Amino acid sequence: MSRAYTPTEVLRKKIKALALTGEWERAFGRPAYNERWFIDGESASGKSVFVMQLSKMLTEFGKVAYLPLEEGLSLSLQRRLETMRMKEVDGSFTILVKDSIEDLISRLAKPKSPQFIVIDSVQYMGMSFLQIKRQLLDAFPRKSFIFVSQSYKGEPKGKTANDLRYDAGVKINTRGFRAYCAGRYVDDAAAYYTIWPEGAARYDLNDRL
């Protein structure tokens, strides 16, 4: 039987949080250091750019590994890396182009392995939610996993994606070049992070027409 805690004991626990500031904090609060994130959005909503912006920001708190399972080593990835000046975080951001999930597990088991793991996208993992939970989430509870998902008719595409979204503490949807959060750490449901100001303004204008 597991131990029962009193409220006082729980409140005394020191749980490390990401010290986000500015627009990041307004939109996403201060999630736990090892929290699970889920990001989805329709095509051309700014999702891919946001994922790169988020990855770069997270290098301030630890090493980030990015698995472009869907895109691979492509021209679009190169251009995004250049646009976002990702060379500035060469020492903290790595791209695991040919890694399988088994390779990733081996990497994460090593000392000084990445703290934040971005998997893009869920649909290319070829795993059920229970497999992901057992092999990654439960096996590495101190890591922060960030799952990126395709969307279909405004919802995450597939059962695995839906289950991962339900499980995540930070749930983000991109639309109109803004990232909206429905996670556990934000009080203002209307808060958002602007991915691309010019694109967001154009989206608002077209939406009014």
Side-chain angles (χ1 to χ4, degrees), residues 31-38 129 133 136-141 143-147 164-165 167-171 184-185:
Y33 191 65
N34 61 340
E35 187 57 271
R36 300 164 188 175
W37 297 55
F38 183 88
F129 172 74
K133 187 174 186 300
L136 293 175
L137 305 181
D138 291 347
F140 303 100
K143 303 290 186 183
S144 179
F145 289 90
I146 300 161
F147 297 99
L164 285 169
R165 184 183 189 278
D167 178 72
V170 181
K171 313 172 202 294
R184 301 166 183 159
Y185 302 92

Side-chain angles (χ1 to χ4, degrees), residues 21-41:
T21 59
E23 191 174 10
W24 289 103
E25 183 182 13
R26 285 192 296 275
F28 310 116
R30 291 195 168 189
Y33 191 65
N34 61 340
E35 187 57 271
R36 300 164 188 175
W37 297 55
F38 183 88
I39 303 167
D40 76 323

Side-chain angles (χ1 to χ4, degrees), residues 96 99 101-115 117 135-136 139-141 143 145:
L96 308 179
D99 267 29
I101 297 302
E102 291 73 20
D103 293 331
L104 175 62
I105 292 170
S106 297
R107 285 181 185 274
L108 296 181
K110 295 178 180 178
K112 299 182 180 180
S113 59
Q115 171 62 29
I117 302 92
Q135 296 182 42
L136 293 175
F140 303 100
K143 303 290 186 183
F145 289 90

Side-chain angles (χ1 to χ4, degrees), residues 179-191:
Y180 296 85
C181 183
R184 301 166 183 159
Y185 302 92
V186 182
D187 296 326
D188 183 2

Side-chain angles (χ1 to χ4, degrees), residues 105-164:
I105 292 170
S106 297
R107 285 181 185 274
L108 296 181
K110 295 178 180 178
K112 299 182 180 180
S113 59
Q115 171 62 29
F116 304 98
I117 302 92
V118 183
I119 299 177
D120 187 1
S121 60
V122 170
Q123 287 74 22
Y124 283 74
M125 294 180 72
M127 301 171 70
S128 68
F129 172 74
L130 285 179
Q131 289 173 323
I132 294 171
K133 187 174 186 300
R134 290 168 184 163
Q135 296 182 42
L136 293 175
L137 305 181
D138 291 347
F140 303 100
R142 296 184 180 180
K143 303 290 186 183
S144 179
F145 289 90
I146 300 161
F147 297 99
V148 184
S149 173
Q150 298 173 352
S151 289
Y152 179 69
K153 294 184 178 179
E155 295 293 331
K157 187 177 179 181
K159 186 179 185 308
T160 298
N162 273 286
D163 288 344
L164 285 169

Side-chain angles (χ1 to χ4, degrees), residues 48-60:
S48 295
V49 173
F50 172 72
V51 169
M52 202 61 68
Q53 290 175 340
L54 175 66
S55 297
K56 189 173 185 179
M57 183 275 292
L58 287 174
T59 61
E60 298 175 17

